[in-house]
Amino acid sequence: MKLKAFIGGTLAALATAVSIGSAQAQDSKIDEIRERGTLRMAGILSEDPYFAKDPRTGEWRGFAVSMARDIAETLGVELEVVESSWSNSILDVQSGKVDLALALTALPKRAMAISFSDPTYYNSFVIISPNEALADKGWAELNDPAYTIAVDLGSAQDNIARQYLPNANVLRFKSRDEAVIAVTTGKADAMINTVLNSVVMSKKNPALGTVYVPEPTLSSPSVIGLNYDTDETWKAFISAWADYNRRVGNNQTWIVESLAPFDVTLDDLPEGFDIGG
């Protein structure tokens, strides 16, 4: 009886293990996406050159969209863009509303909420100012109450201001547009942003001034955000995609193509900035 009970228990345990293994296999993120037929990405409105949606056609453009579209094609599915915002995109990844979020700055605080891929490219934090006297100022020199710097509250650039400019007069606004107005109206001497955003903003609004890269150059990896609970195969695939396309130059090509409508070329990018890191 004891032997029969042992055999019965062993068979039950094996059946459970097989069942769990089958469930895990079925839970593969890649299989889920292929079964659905779409890859869902978080898209942010009016964020050239990253994302933008044509109000007439509903079509999305931008280099983050181009990157996601290539991932979708690699998986053999269509791309579905889900409207979001920079802050909500983290929540959308956490909740499973989207499969990934691109063009995220790899802030340590965000790493407690979502998983990061390998870098897709490198961005730099810069200042935009109509004041040419700031052209050669480093972060240490800007860290002075004589300078008024505008940032959008809670952003990566706000974190940079807190870390590098604790002594400067920092104005924090609810939106980036308010920070732009502060500079163009003379309320602030400069604003902090990432270089790719900045070159487009300065082209759209010349009154904003010129993009400068203060020393030391603060090069920040841009990553793809993924849900922590997804399987390791999915995470490894996305990191392999990011690393490969960064190294062979595809990501740079998509970035340059997204800058072209604003008459921005690689030659227009400020000295000291390198997309490859």
Side-chain angles (χ1 to χ4, degrees), residues 22-41:
S22 298
Q24 288 176 336
Q26 290 171 355
D27 287 340
S28 162
K29 187 67 175 177
I30 291 176
D31 289 343
E32 174 196 320
I33 290 167
R34 284 176 168 163
E35 185 175 345
R36 188 196 311 132
T38 60
L39 172 71
R40 302 168 306 179
M41 72 167 292

Side-chain angles (χ1 to χ4, degrees), residues 64 71 115 130 136 143 169 203 209 226 228 242 250 254:
I71 296 172
S115 180
D136 299 319
N143 186 28
N169 179 28
K203 280 283 186 176
L226 307 169
Y228 261 128
N250 289 338
W254 287 316

Side-chain angles (χ1 to χ4, degrees), residues 25-160:
Q26 290 171 355
D27 287 340
S28 162
K29 187 67 175 177
I30 291 176
D31 289 343
E32 174 196 320
I33 290 167
R34 284 176 168 163
E35 185 175 345
R36 188 196 311 132
T38 60
L39 172 71
R40 302 168 306 179
M41 72 167 292
I44 292 94
L45 295 171
S46 304
E47 279 292 336
D48 283 311
Y50 305 92
F51 314 86
K53 183 180 181 181
D54 188 320
R56 296 169 300 173
T57 65
E59 289 293 314
W60 285 83
R61 68 169 187 270
F63 70 79
V65 180
S66 296
M67 290 179 183
R69 188 169 286 120
D70 188 76
I71 296 172
E73 288 176 359
T74 303
L75 293 169
V77 298
E78 297 295 320
L79 177 65
E80 177 186 349
V81 184
V82 179
E83 284 188 24
S84 187
S85 65
W86 288 118
S87 56
N88 285 342
S89 63
I90 306 294
L91 299 174
D92 290 343
V93 170
Q94 279 185 304
S95 68
K97 184 177 180 180
V98 299
D99 303 308
L100 41 72
L102 282 89
L104 296 179
T105 301
L107 298 177
K109 188 175 181 181
R110 289 175 177 172
M112 293 189 288
I114 58 174
S115 180
F116 292 155
S117 71
D118 283 0
T120 52
Y121 67 97
Y122 285 80
N123 218 334
S124 292
F125 289 97
V126 299
I127 62 168
I128 321 171
S129 176
N131 186 352
E132 293 182 4
L134 300 187
D136 299 319
K137 301 291 183 186
W139 293 107
E141 294 171 287
L142 292 168
N143 186 28
D144 188 309
Y147 297 115
T148 300
I149 309 295
V151 297
D152 38 323
L153 183 66
S155 63
Q157 42 271 23
D158 186 4
N159 286 351
I160 292 297

